């Protein structure tokens, strides 16, 4: 799946979200979207990195401590 396909998927999901609102105004969308995208992103990257936080952090382009904090926030550390 290319970057363009991921963008299209997100765009379609956002359009469906607005449709489901049926005219009501959304609130705190940025925080909600980041939260729902970040968890599966972290889960998938950690799986492909075989649980190696240093490798996953490098792939994500973030500091390992930041990754660890986000894993704790999303309750992904065992």
């Amino acid at each position: 799946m290319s970057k363009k396909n991921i963008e299209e998927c997100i765009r379609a999901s956002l359009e469906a979200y607005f449709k489901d609102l049926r005219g009501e105004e959304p609130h705190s969308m940025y925080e909600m979207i980041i939260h729902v995208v970040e968890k599966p992103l972290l889960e998938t990257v950690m799986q492909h990195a075989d649980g190696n936080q240093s490798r996953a952090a490098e792939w994500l382009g973030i500091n390992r401590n930041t990754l660890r904090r986000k894993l704790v926030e999303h309750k992904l550390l065992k």
Side-chain angles (χ1 to χ4, degrees):
M1 180 177 272
S2 69
K3 178 181 170 184
K4 184 174 179 164
N5 292 62
I6 294 170
E7 288 176 5
E8 289 171 4
C9 182
I10 292 169
R11 189 170 286 109
S13 294
L14 287 169
E15 289 297 336
Y17 172 75
F18 275 101
K19 184 178 178 183
D20 289 346
L21 286 176
R22 295 186 176 103
E24 297 219 12
E25 293 205 8
H27 299 282
S28 303
M29 272 188 71
Y30 183 82
E31 185 178 327
M32 186 249 327
I33 296 298
I34 294 303
H35 189 77
V36 299
V37 169
E38 192 171 59
K39 185 175 182 178
L41 171 65
L42 296 173
E43 288 172 324
T44 303
V45 170
M46 286 299 294
Q47 178 184 10
H48 285 273
D50 297 321
N52 184 315
Q53 291 179 21
S54 294
R55 187 182 324 159
E58 185 177 331
W59 291 354
L60 291 165
I62 62 176
N63 182 284
R64 195 186 67 76
N65 291 331
T66 301
L67 172 61
R68 184 168 176 76
R69 180 177 47 80
K70 290 180 177 295
L71 292 171
V72 169
E73 286 173 9
H74 290 284
K75 298 178 174 73
L76 297 175
L77 278 184
K78 296 177 182 171

